[in-house]
Amino acid sequence: MAAAAAQCVPLRASPLAPASAETSKVPASTPTSSAASPSPLRAAVAPSSGRHQLAPPLRCSSSSSESPAPPNLGLLVEVEGVLADVYRFGNRQAFNVAFQSLGLHCANWTEPIYADLVRKARGDEERMLVLFFDRIGWPTLLMKSVLREKLKALEEFSASDRLPLRPGVEKFIDDALSEGVPVAILAAYGRNGEKISRSIVKKLGPERTSKIKIVGKDEVEGSFYGQLVLGKGVTSSLDEQLIKEAQKAASAEKQRIAEEVASILKHSVDITASESSEKVIAALRAGSEYVGCDVQNCILVAGSQSGVLAAERIGMPCVVVRCSFTARAEFPSAKAVMDGFGGTDLTVSKLLSKKWS
Protein backbone atom coordinates (compact mmCIF):
# COMPACT_ATOMS: atom_id res chain seq x y z
CA MET A 1 0.00 0.00 0.00
CA ALA A 2 1.35 3.39 -1.05
CA ALA A 3 0.19 4.97 2.17
CA ALA A 4 2.12 2.58 4.34
CA ALA A 5 5.40 3.65 2.83
CA ALA A 6 4.77 7.32 3.28
CA GLN A 7 6.72 9.36 5.79
CA CYS A 8 5.08 11.51 8.43
CA VAL A 9 5.80 15.19 8.21
CA PRO A 10 5.18 17.31 11.31
CA LEU A 11 2.38 19.82 10.87
CA ARG A 12 2.42 23.37 12.06
CA ALA A 13 -0.85 24.03 13.79
CA SER A 14 -2.45 26.95 15.45
CA PRO A 15 -3.67 26.41 19.04
CA LEU A 16 -7.17 25.18 19.58
CA ALA A 17 -9.63 27.79 20.76
CA PRO A 18 -10.70 26.97 24.33
CA ALA A 19 -14.06 25.42 24.74
CA SER A 20 -16.62 27.08 26.95
CA ALA A 21 -17.75 25.91 30.17
CA GLU A 22 -33.12 22.36 24.61
CA THR A 23 -39.76 21.43 25.89
CA SER A 24 -43.23 21.58 27.64
CA LYS A 25 -45.35 18.64 27.08
CA VAL A 26 -46.48 18.40 23.51
CA PRO A 27 -50.22 19.05 23.19
CA ALA A 28 -52.19 15.83 22.84
CA SER A 29 -53.53 16.98 19.50
CA THR A 30 -50.07 17.41 18.05
CA PRO A 31 -48.88 14.44 15.93
CA THR A 32 -45.65 12.79 17.02
CA SER A 33 -45.01 11.17 13.66
CA SER A 34 -46.63 10.70 10.30
CA ALA A 35 -47.61 7.11 11.15
CA ALA A 36 -48.70 7.53 14.74
CA SER A 37 -51.83 9.59 14.27
CA PRO A 38 -54.19 10.83 11.56
CA SER A 39 -52.71 13.38 9.22
CA PRO A 40 -53.40 16.92 10.39
CA LEU A 41 -53.84 17.97 6.77
CA ARG A 42 -56.49 15.37 6.02
CA ALA A 43 -58.32 16.36 9.16
CA ALA A 44 -58.38 19.94 7.95
CA VAL A 45 -60.07 19.16 4.62
CA ALA A 46 -63.86 19.43 4.55
CA PRO A 47 -65.50 16.27 3.05
CA SER A 48 -67.79 18.35 0.86
CA SER A 49 -65.07 20.51 -0.65
CA GLY A 50 -62.41 19.65 -3.19
CA ARG A 51 -60.11 22.41 -1.94
CA HIS A 52 -57.62 22.17 0.93
CA GLN A 53 -58.52 24.30 3.93
CA LEU A 54 -55.83 25.09 6.46
CA ALA A 55 -56.35 24.06 10.06
CA PRO A 56 -56.35 26.88 12.62
CA PRO A 57 -52.83 27.61 13.87
CA LEU A 58 -51.70 26.05 17.12
CA ARG A 59 -51.38 28.38 20.10
CA CYS A 60 -49.52 28.12 23.37
CA SER A 61 -51.97 27.31 26.16
CA SER A 62 -51.89 26.10 29.73
CA SER A 63 -52.54 22.40 30.33
CA SER A 64 -54.33 23.07 33.61
CA SER A 65 -56.67 25.82 34.72
CA GLU A 66 -55.03 25.73 38.16
CA SER A 67 -51.45 26.19 36.92
CA PRO A 68 -50.13 29.58 35.85
CA ALA A 69 -50.42 30.34 32.16
CA PRO A 70 -47.12 29.54 30.40
CA PRO A 71 -45.34 32.31 28.53
CA ASN A 72 -46.21 32.81 24.89
CA LEU A 73 -42.87 31.34 23.91
CA GLY A 74 -41.60 28.17 22.31
CA LEU A 75 -38.02 26.94 22.49
CA LEU A 76 -36.24 25.10 19.65
CA VAL A 77 -32.81 23.68 20.39
CA GLU A 78 -30.19 22.33 18.01
CA VAL A 79 -28.15 19.28 18.99
CA GLU A 80 -24.64 19.46 17.56
CA GLY A 81 -22.64 22.16 19.26
CA VAL A 82 -25.52 23.08 21.61
CA LEU A 83 -26.45 19.95 23.57
CA ALA A 84 -22.94 18.57 23.09
CA ASP A 85 -19.71 19.84 21.59
CA VAL A 86 -19.51 17.06 19.00
CA TYR A 87 -16.70 18.78 17.18
CA ARG A 88 -14.30 18.80 20.12
CA PHE A 89 -15.22 15.55 21.87
CA GLY A 90 -16.29 13.38 18.93
CA ASN A 91 -15.17 14.31 15.43
CA ARG A 92 -11.42 14.38 16.04
CA GLN A 93 -11.39 11.09 17.95
CA ALA A 94 -13.63 9.47 15.32
CA PHE A 95 -11.20 10.46 12.58
CA ASN A 96 -8.32 8.90 14.52
CA VAL A 97 -10.29 5.66 14.95
CA ALA A 98 -11.00 5.68 11.19
CA PHE A 99 -7.30 6.14 10.40
CA GLN A 100 -6.33 3.23 12.62
CA SER A 101 -9.05 0.91 11.27
CA LEU A 102 -7.79 1.55 7.73
CA GLY A 103 -4.16 0.94 8.68
CA LEU A 104 -3.14 4.59 8.42
CA HIS A 105 -1.03 4.43 11.57
CA CYS A 106 0.96 7.53 10.71
CA ALA A 107 -2.16 9.71 10.91
CA ASN A 108 -3.07 11.01 14.33
CA TRP A 109 -4.91 14.32 14.68
CA THR A 110 -4.13 16.11 17.91
CA GLU A 111 -6.37 19.00 19.02
CA PRO A 112 -4.05 21.67 17.53
CA ILE A 113 -3.80 19.82 14.19
CA TYR A 114 -7.58 19.30 14.07
CA ALA A 115 -8.28 22.93 14.95
CA ASP A 116 -5.87 24.11 12.25
CA LEU A 117 -7.53 21.92 9.61
CA VAL A 118 -11.02 23.05 10.67
CA ARG A 119 -9.99 26.67 10.41
CA LYS A 120 -8.38 26.32 6.99
CA ALA A 121 -11.11 24.10 5.48
CA ARG A 122 -13.96 25.96 7.25
CA GLY A 123 -15.33 22.67 8.55
CA ASP A 124 -15.47 20.89 5.17
CA GLU A 125 -14.33 17.40 6.18
CA GLU A 126 -13.35 16.30 2.67
CA ARG A 127 -11.27 19.44 2.32
CA MET A 128 -9.66 18.75 5.70
CA LEU A 129 -8.56 15.32 4.49
CA VAL A 130 -7.23 16.75 1.23
CA LEU A 131 -5.16 19.34 3.10
CA PHE A 132 -3.82 16.74 5.52
CA PHE A 133 -2.95 14.14 2.88
CA ASP A 134 -1.39 16.75 0.63
CA ARG A 135 0.95 17.82 3.39
CA ILE A 136 2.10 14.33 4.38
CA GLY A 137 2.18 12.98 0.82
CA TRP A 138 -0.56 10.37 1.07
CA PRO A 139 -3.06 9.82 -1.75
CA THR A 140 -6.63 11.02 -1.29
CA LEU A 141 -8.17 7.88 -2.80
CA LEU A 142 -9.02 6.70 0.71
CA MET A 143 -11.15 9.77 1.47
CA LYS A 144 -14.55 8.07 1.15
CA SER A 145 -13.38 5.13 3.24
CA VAL A 146 -12.04 7.44 5.94
CA LEU A 147 -15.29 9.43 6.11
CA ARG A 148 -17.32 6.22 6.26
CA GLU A 149 -15.23 4.80 9.09
CA LYS A 150 -15.21 8.16 10.87
CA LEU A 151 -19.04 8.26 10.86
CA LYS A 152 -19.21 4.74 12.30
CA ALA A 153 -16.77 5.67 15.04
CA LEU A 154 -18.66 8.89 15.83
CA GLU A 155 -21.90 6.92 16.20
CA GLU A 156 -20.18 4.83 18.85
CA PHE A 157 -18.76 7.91 20.59
CA SER A 158 -22.17 9.59 20.62
CA ALA A 159 -23.79 6.63 22.36
CA SER A 160 -21.03 6.41 25.00
CA ASP A 161 -20.00 8.50 28.00
CA ARG A 162 -16.99 9.77 26.09
CA LEU A 163 -19.17 12.43 24.46
CA PRO A 164 -20.61 14.48 27.35
CA LEU A 165 -23.41 16.98 27.34
CA ARG A 166 -22.37 20.60 27.67
CA PRO A 167 -22.18 21.95 31.23
CA GLY A 168 -25.43 23.56 32.32
CA VAL A 169 -27.60 22.33 29.44
CA GLU A 170 -29.61 19.93 31.64
CA LYS A 171 -30.49 22.72 34.10
CA PHE A 172 -31.37 24.93 31.14
CA ILE A 173 -33.89 22.32 29.94
CA ASP A 174 -35.24 21.80 33.47
CA ASP A 175 -35.71 25.55 33.96
CA ALA A 176 -37.62 25.81 30.67
CA LEU A 177 -39.93 22.97 31.68
CA SER A 178 -40.57 24.43 35.13
CA GLU A 179 -41.50 27.77 33.54
CA GLY A 180 -44.00 26.08 31.21
CA VAL A 181 -41.96 26.74 28.08
CA PRO A 182 -42.50 24.01 25.44
CA VAL A 183 -39.23 22.69 24.02
CA ALA A 184 -38.44 20.88 20.78
CA ILE A 185 -35.04 19.36 20.04
CA LEU A 186 -34.15 19.57 16.35
CA ALA A 187 -32.61 16.24 15.30
CA ALA A 188 -33.75 16.46 11.67
CA TYR A 189 -30.62 18.19 10.49
CA GLY A 190 -26.99 18.27 11.49
CA ARG A 191 -23.62 17.71 9.95
CA ASN A 192 -23.42 14.12 11.19
CA GLY A 193 -26.99 12.92 10.71
CA GLU A 194 -30.11 12.19 12.77
CA LYS A 195 -28.89 8.93 14.32
CA ILE A 196 -26.05 10.69 16.11
CA SER A 197 -28.30 13.57 17.15
CA ARG A 198 -30.81 11.18 18.73
CA SER A 199 -28.01 9.40 20.60
CA ILE A 200 -26.99 12.73 22.11
CA VAL A 201 -30.58 13.65 23.03
CA LYS A 202 -30.89 10.36 24.96
CA LYS A 203 -28.19 11.62 27.32
CA LEU A 204 -30.78 14.04 28.75
CA GLY A 205 -32.42 11.03 30.37
CA PRO A 206 -35.89 9.49 29.96
CA GLU A 207 -37.58 11.86 32.43
CA ARG A 208 -36.62 14.91 30.38
CA THR A 209 -37.07 13.35 26.93
CA SER A 210 -40.61 12.28 27.89
CA LYS A 211 -41.49 15.95 28.35
CA ILE A 212 -39.92 17.33 25.18
CA LYS A 213 -40.54 16.88 21.49
CA ILE A 214 -37.76 15.43 19.33
CA VAL A 215 -38.17 16.61 15.74
CA GLY A 216 -36.59 14.26 13.23
CA LYS A 217 -37.23 13.57 9.57
CA ASP A 218 -40.46 11.62 10.23
CA GLU A 219 -41.79 14.41 12.45
CA VAL A 220 -41.01 17.03 9.80
CA GLU A 221 -42.78 15.03 7.11
CA GLY A 222 -45.76 14.40 9.42
CA SER A 223 -46.13 18.07 10.31
CA PHE A 224 -48.68 20.34 8.67
CA TYR A 225 -45.88 22.21 6.92
CA GLY A 226 -44.28 18.97 5.70
CA GLN A 227 -47.51 17.71 4.18
CA LEU A 228 -48.59 20.97 2.61
CA VAL A 229 -45.34 22.51 1.41
CA LEU A 230 -43.06 19.50 0.99
CA GLY A 231 -45.85 17.48 -0.62
CA LYS A 232 -45.73 14.67 1.96
CA GLY A 233 -49.13 12.99 2.14
CA VAL A 234 -50.89 15.43 -0.18
CA THR A 235 -51.33 15.46 -3.94
CA SER A 236 -50.75 18.84 -5.52
CA SER A 237 -53.32 20.18 -7.93
CA LEU A 238 -52.35 20.85 -11.53
CA ASP A 239 -52.20 24.59 -10.83
CA GLU A 240 -49.82 24.06 -7.91
CA GLN A 241 -47.55 21.86 -10.02
CA LEU A 242 -47.49 24.42 -12.82
CA ILE A 243 -46.58 27.18 -10.36
CA LYS A 244 -43.72 25.10 -8.98
CA GLU A 245 -42.40 24.35 -12.45
CA ALA A 246 -42.59 28.04 -13.39
CA GLN A 247 -40.67 28.95 -10.25
CA LYS A 248 -38.00 26.38 -11.04
CA ALA A 249 -37.66 27.69 -14.59
CA ALA A 250 -37.33 31.29 -13.38
CA SER A 251 -34.76 30.29 -10.79
CA ALA A 252 -32.75 28.35 -13.38
CA GLU A 253 -32.73 31.34 -15.71
CA LYS A 254 -31.53 33.63 -12.93
CA GLN A 255 -28.80 31.16 -12.10
CA ARG A 256 -27.72 30.96 -15.76
CA ILE A 257 -27.42 34.75 -16.00
CA ALA A 258 -25.55 34.91 -12.71
CA GLU A 259 -23.09 32.27 -13.89
CA GLU A 260 -22.43 34.22 -17.10
CA VAL A 261 -21.63 37.32 -15.07
CA ALA A 262 -19.53 35.28 -12.64
CA SER A 263 -17.49 33.79 -15.48
CA ILE A 264 -16.57 37.30 -16.57
CA LEU A 265 -15.65 38.28 -13.03
CA LYS A 266 -13.96 34.91 -12.44
CA HIS A 267 -16.12 34.21 -9.38
CA SER A 268 -18.58 31.41 -8.59
CA VAL A 269 -22.08 32.22 -7.35
CA ASP A 270 -25.15 30.36 -6.17
CA ILE A 271 -28.27 32.50 -5.80
CA THR A 272 -30.66 29.60 -5.27
CA ALA A 273 -31.61 28.27 -1.85
CA SER A 274 -29.71 25.05 -1.20
CA GLU A 275 -31.46 21.79 -0.44
CA SER A 276 -29.90 21.77 3.03
CA SER A 277 -31.24 25.28 3.70
CA GLU A 278 -34.80 24.20 2.82
CA LYS A 279 -34.33 21.16 5.08
CA VAL A 280 -33.43 23.36 8.01
CA ILE A 281 -36.35 25.73 7.35
CA ALA A 282 -38.75 22.77 7.23
CA ALA A 283 -37.43 21.56 10.59
CA LEU A 284 -37.82 25.01 12.15
CA ARG A 285 -41.41 25.38 10.92
CA ALA A 286 -42.30 21.85 12.02
CA GLY A 287 -40.71 22.53 15.41
CA SER A 288 -42.86 25.64 15.86
CA GLU A 289 -45.95 23.53 15.17
CA TYR A 290 -45.01 20.92 17.74
CA VAL A 291 -44.39 23.47 20.49
CA GLY A 292 -47.69 25.13 19.56
CA CYS A 293 -46.36 28.64 18.90
CA ASP A 294 -46.09 30.87 15.87
CA VAL A 295 -42.67 31.19 14.27
CA GLN A 296 -42.05 34.69 15.61
CA ASN A 297 -42.88 33.49 19.15
CA CYS A 298 -40.25 30.75 19.07
CA ILE A 299 -36.59 31.17 19.88
CA LEU A 300 -33.99 28.99 18.23
CA VAL A 301 -30.95 28.10 20.31
CA ALA A 302 -28.48 27.46 17.52
CA GLY A 303 -24.96 26.15 17.22
CA SER A 304 -24.71 26.24 13.45
CA GLN A 305 -24.55 28.93 10.80
CA SER A 306 -27.18 27.08 8.74
CA GLY A 307 -29.67 27.28 11.61
CA VAL A 308 -29.04 30.99 12.11
CA LEU A 309 -29.51 31.77 8.41
CA ALA A 310 -32.69 29.67 8.16
CA ALA A 311 -34.17 31.34 11.25
CA GLU A 312 -33.43 34.75 9.75
CA ARG A 313 -35.22 33.81 6.52
CA ILE A 314 -38.48 32.91 8.30
CA GLY A 315 -38.36 35.63 10.95
CA MET A 316 -37.58 33.42 13.96
CA PRO A 317 -35.47 35.00 16.72
CA CYS A 318 -32.21 33.18 17.28
CA VAL A 319 -29.61 32.98 20.04
CA VAL A 320 -26.27 31.31 19.36
CA VAL A 321 -24.34 29.19 21.85
CA ARG A 322 -20.80 28.91 20.57
CA CYS A 323 -18.76 25.71 20.67
CA SER A 324 -15.20 24.83 19.67
CA PHE A 325 -16.19 24.72 15.99
CA THR A 326 -17.78 28.20 16.04
CA ALA A 327 -15.59 29.86 18.65
CA ARG A 328 -14.39 32.54 16.24
CA ALA A 329 -17.41 32.68 13.92
CA GLU A 330 -19.59 35.77 13.51
CA PHE A 331 -23.40 35.66 13.67
CA PRO A 332 -24.62 39.18 12.83
CA SER A 333 -28.31 38.23 12.53
CA ALA A 334 -28.48 36.48 15.93
CA LYS A 335 -30.10 38.29 18.87
CA ALA A 336 -27.18 37.26 21.05
CA VAL A 337 -24.06 35.12 20.93
CA MET A 338 -23.03 33.37 24.15
CA ASP A 339 -20.39 30.88 25.19
CA GLY A 340 -22.46 28.43 27.24
CA PHE A 341 -25.32 27.95 29.69
CA GLY A 342 -25.97 29.49 33.11
CA GLY A 343 -24.53 32.43 34.99
CA THR A 344 -23.60 35.27 32.68
CA ASP A 345 -24.32 33.11 29.63
CA LEU A 346 -27.65 31.76 28.36
CA THR A 347 -30.45 31.22 30.87
CA VAL A 348 -34.20 30.73 30.55
CA SER A 349 -34.84 33.89 32.55
CA LYS A 350 -32.94 35.90 29.94
CA LEU A 351 -35.02 34.35 27.18
CA LEU A 352 -38.27 35.13 28.98
CA SER A 353 -37.26 38.72 29.64
CA LYS A 354 -35.60 38.98 26.22
CA LYS A 355 -32.48 40.33 27.84
CA TRP A 356 -30.04 38.89 25.39
CA SER A 357 -26.87 39.97 27.10
Side-chain angles (χ1 to χ4, degrees), residues 225-237:
Y225 180 87
Q227 294 182 73
L228 182 62
V229 177
L230 303 181
K232 302 297 182 179
V234 61
T235 302
S236 300
S237 68

Side-chain angles (χ1 to χ4, degrees), residues 80 86-87 91 125 150-151 154 190-194 196:
E80 295 183 14
V86 179
Y87 311 104
N91 272 7
E125 294 185 343
K150 173 259 176 182
L151 185 60
L154 185 56
R191 295 173 62 89
N192 296 293
E194 183 174 337
I196 290 175

Side-chain angles (χ1 to χ4, degrees), residues 43-99:
V45 179
S48 61
S49 172
R51 301 181 61 185
H52 296 300
Q53 298 179 359
L54 304 184
L58 298 173
R59 300 290 178 183
C60 298
S61 60
S62 175
S63 58
S64 171
S65 58
E66 298 180 356
S67 60
N72 186 27
L73 175 70
L75 190 60
L76 309 184
V77 185
E78 290 188 355
V79 178
E80 295 183 14
V82 177
L83 285 187
D85 194 341
V86 179
Y87 311 104
R88 176 168 183 166
F89 296 104
N91 272 7
R92 182 180 65 84
Q93 295 90 327
F95 269 115
N96 287 334
V97 170
F99 293 146

